[in-house]
Amino acid sequence: MRRYASTVVVLLAAAGILFSELPIATAADVVAAPSGVTIPKGYRDWQVVAPSQRDDTDEIRVILGNDIA
């Protein structure tokens, strides 16, 4: 049992070291919309892909996309 406990401690320590090196998103990187959906960094630079019109709600919307899209 003691060997099992020490193995678990070693694995948790290794995981802590590995995950501590990962970049953490700050509040400036991730923006939350009023609906709660997170918006990626740089969304203001996206280009217009296509307009869309909804007849049921009388709305005109614009579909945006980044360089990958």
Side-chain angles (χ1 to χ4, degrees):
M1 184 69 172
R2 185 172 170 94
R3 182 176 176 177
Y4 176 74
S6 62
T7 303
V8 169
V9 169
V10 169
L11 288 175
L12 289 174
I17 292 170
L18 289 174
F19 287 114
S20 68
E21 299 299 321
L22 293 176
I24 297 174
T26 62
D29 295 336
V30 179
V31 180
S35 62
V37 177
T38 56
I39 301 171
K41 184 178 179 181
Y43 73 96
R44 293 180 187 255
D45 299 327
W46 289 5
Q47 304 274 328
V48 174
V49 174
S52 69
Q53 180 179 359
R54 294 191 55 176
D55 294 329
D56 58 339
T57 57
D58 292 328
E59 293 178 345
I60 297 176
R61 297 181 179 187
V62 177
I63 301 170
L64 302 175
N66 59 8
D67 292 335
I68 296 170

